[in-house]
Amino acid sequence: MVRHYDPEQIPAVYSVFDDIPERKVRKGVYQKMFRGLNMTMSWVRIEPDMETRPHSHPWEQVVFVVEGTADFHIDGEQISVEEGDVFFIPPNVEHYEEPNSDEPCILMDIWQMREGFLDLTDYQTEFDVDESI
């Protein structure tokens, strides 16, 4: 795992609005990533016309609803969430989200380090992403 960082670069502060690049995940789903040593944060914007994609993964996930409303389907159950709600998705449980209004929904996801997403945090100059170290 790549966990090397330059102590002289800490604390490094980034604006979610200005500094963190956004990527299109699929139709109607956009994401910004930020990492620490052992954890990752993601801001996800889901649009009313998003393509849903049921999935599961081996890490737990904490979701905070920053703005808007959505329906989450977790292990066959549906919950409706709104701004200010926070909830937990256990590891290896199938889940997906979908907006339930005509407005976008902004979510903040937190989970353990996802090495496959390191390239999405290249803007973070405090980390050495050279895997040969």
Side-chain angles (χ1 to χ4, degrees), residues 73-96:
H73 302 264
I74 304 170
D75 202 18
E77 292 194 37
Q78 178 180 318
I79 59 169
S80 294
V81 296
E82 61 186 26
E83 185 174 318
D85 288 346
V86 64
F87 58 97
F88 160 73
I89 301 172
N92 302 309
V93 170
E94 185 174 85
H95 60 281
Y96 67 96

Side-chain angles (χ1 to χ4, degrees), residues 1 3 33 37-41 58-62 91 110-115 117:
M1 298 207 167
R3 301 241 167 81
M33 300 287 296
L37 291 175
N38 297 301
M39 59 191 298
T40 307
M41 291 178 69
W59 49 85
E60 65 183 308
Q61 180 175 341
V62 173
I110 302 169
W111 56 77
Q112 72 188 42
M113 175 59 69
R114 293 178 67 175
E115 302 295 330
F117 285 176

Side-chain angles (χ1 to χ4, degrees), residues 5 7 14 20 24 38 41-42 63 70 79 102 105 110 115 119-121 131:
Y5 69 96
Y14 302 92
I20 301 178
K24 182 176 182 176
N38 297 301
M41 291 178 69
S42 169
V63 180
I79 59 169
D102 292 334
C105 181
I110 302 169
E115 302 295 330
D119 62 323
L120 301 175
T121 61
E131 295 188 40

Side-chain angles (χ1 to χ4, degrees), residues 27-30 46-52 99 101:
K27 180 182 178 187
V29 181
Y30 302 88
I46 57 175
E47 301 285 344
D49 65 343
M50 75 170 284
E51 173 188 321
T52 60
S101 79

